[in-house]
Amino acid sequence: MKTLLMVKPDIVENGLFGEIIALVLRSRFKITNLRMVHLDVGTVERFYEVHRGQEFYPSLVEYVSSGPVVAMEITGDNVIAAIRTLVGETDPGVARPGTIRHMFGISIQRNAVHASDSPESAKKELAIVFGGS
Ligand code: CMP
């Protein structure tokens, strides 16, 4: 099973993305692909298609397309649920200590990372970021 973990632009810009990669490397999972890429507006719109129509969608698209992201394909048993547990709640203000969002998130939008929430989303998101992998 595979998932996508994507470090958002502000954490790439400030250099803390290395600490997030290190957390994944210390887990039982394997990073099987890794890419730093500046996604354009149209690509981010497709990536977050499920949120189109939400009031936060335009600013989310602007933010995630504002600079390079670091995307990881992570592989292992039960990886989708496990990585979401490591990531924590969407809102860093309620994410539990020890989670990535508790440590690196600064607001509900600037919440450090995105992680796929289902096998279907993982397949779609990995294809968008890695071009069909
Ligand atoms: P992510 O896991 O990348 O998936 C969708 C993103 O939308 C989410 O993390 C947040 O960055 C953002 N988001 C979700 N809900 C809100 C909200 N209420 N206000 C602003 N941004 C949000």
Side-chain angles (χ1 to χ4, degrees):
M1 186 187 275
K2 294 180 190 299
T3 196
L4 177 87
L5 180 65
M6 183 175 79
V7 183
K8 294 183 177 180
D10 50 331
I11 306 295
V12 175
E13 167 69 23
N14 69 21
L16 290 173
F17 68 96
E19 298 192 21
I20 295 175
I21 294 172
L23 286 171
V24 178
L25 291 173
R26 283 190 211 110
S27 77
R28 67 184 167 89
F29 300 112
K30 291 273 182 233
I31 296 175
T32 44
N33 207 344
L34 181 112
R35 185 177 190 203
M36 184 185 288
V37 59
H38 190 157
L39 302 173
D40 64 25
V41 168
T43 303
V44 176
E45 282 176 348
R46 272 194 299 130
F47 187 93
Y48 281 121
E49 191 68 47
V50 66
H51 297 296
R52 196 186 284 272
Q54 303 273 359
E55 54 83 25
F56 61 81
Y57 179 79
S59 101
L60 175 65
V61 170
E62 185 184 352
Y63 162 52
V64 175
S65 63
S66 68
V69 297
V70 169
M72 285 166 262
E73 178 192 84
I74 307 172
T75 302
D77 290 342
N78 199 30
V79 69
I80 294 174
I83 291 296
R84 284 180 69 82
T85 301
L86 178 64
V87 163
E89 298 283 329
T90 302
D91 181 354
V94 301
R96 288 169 54 180
T99 63
I100 290 172
R101 284 174 173 158
H102 178 88
M103 289 186 274
F104 301 101
I106 56 169
S107 70
I108 192 158
Q109 179 168 278
R110 293 177 182 266
N111 60 357
V113 292
H114 168 84
S116 308
D117 65 1
S118 67
E120 297 72 34
S121 314
K123 191 169 177 219
K124 174 189 162 179
E125 293 166 6
L126 286 165
I128 289 173
V129 174
F130 290 105
S133 65

